[in-house]
Structure formats: structure tokens, C-alpha cells
Amino acid sequence: MGLLTIFISFLVYAGIGAVGFSLVPRGEDQFVYRTAVALTFTSTWLMWAITYLAQLNPLVVPERTWTLHHAGAGDHSSSIAGHGL
């Protein structure tokens, strides 16, 4: 599922980038505008792809810590009675 999502998002970003690339007005700074559009879409897609792929295989696995308080059977009446309430 991860590789398909990356590929589909690449196609979407490439399509939006192509539209933005073609909508740049003609003129003296056309090359600068097109470069800015291409770099913007490339860097945003690359950042999204790296973040998405990092979540698929995390480096740190969450660990659940158990204490004696949590290991009980769920009877909280003894803890209330022990506090004098």
C-alpha cells in the first residue's frame, strides 16, 4: 500500500506542477518563476514522501510500561478506602 500511495501522490503533484509550470506568464523572469514552481512542488512532495515512509517503519517502537498500580484487576475501591475517603 505504501508504494502505491507514493506513486499516486507523485502523479498528482506532477500534474499540479505541470499546470503551474504552464500558467507562468511569459516575460523576462519566466525562467525564474518556472524554477520556483518546480522547486516548490518537488520539495513539498519530497518532504511529504519522506515523512510518510518514515511512519511506515518507525525507528523507535512504543513500549508499554506496567506498574503495580496498573497491574491490578481494576478494583479501585481499595485505593479510595486506603486514603480515608
Side-chain angles (χ1 to χ4, degrees), residues 1-10 13 43-59:
M1 181 67 186
L3 197 58
L4 181 63
T5 304
I6 295 291
F7 184 69
I8 290 172
S9 69
F10 173 75
Y13 266 88
S43 61
T44 54
W45 178 81
L46 190 60
M47 187 63 198
W48 175 85
I50 290 170
T51 304
Y52 180 78
L53 289 173
Q55 292 176 11
L56 289 178
N57 188 15
L59 294 176

Side-chain angles (χ1 to χ4, degrees), residues 2-80:
L3 197 58
L4 181 63
T5 304
I6 295 291
F7 184 69
I8 290 172
S9 69
F10 173 75
L11 292 178
V12 169
Y13 266 88
I16 294 171
V19 169
F21 194 81
S22 65
L23 291 179
V24 171
R26 297 209 178 265
E28 184 177 306
D29 295 329
Q30 182 181 13
F31 180 74
V32 175
Y33 292 149
R34 284 188 171 178
T35 304
V37 168
L39 285 175
T40 299
F41 282 106
T42 302
S43 61
T44 54
W45 178 81
L46 190 60
M47 187 63 198
W48 175 85
I50 290 170
T51 304
Y52 180 78
L53 289 173
Q55 292 176 11
L56 289 178
N57 188 15
L59 294 176
V60 179
V61 178
E63 294 182 15
R64 176 172 255 170
T65 57
W66 292 96
T67 61
L68 290 177
H69 185 316
H70 291 105
D75 184 14
H76 298 291
S77 62
S78 63
S79 63
I80 293 173

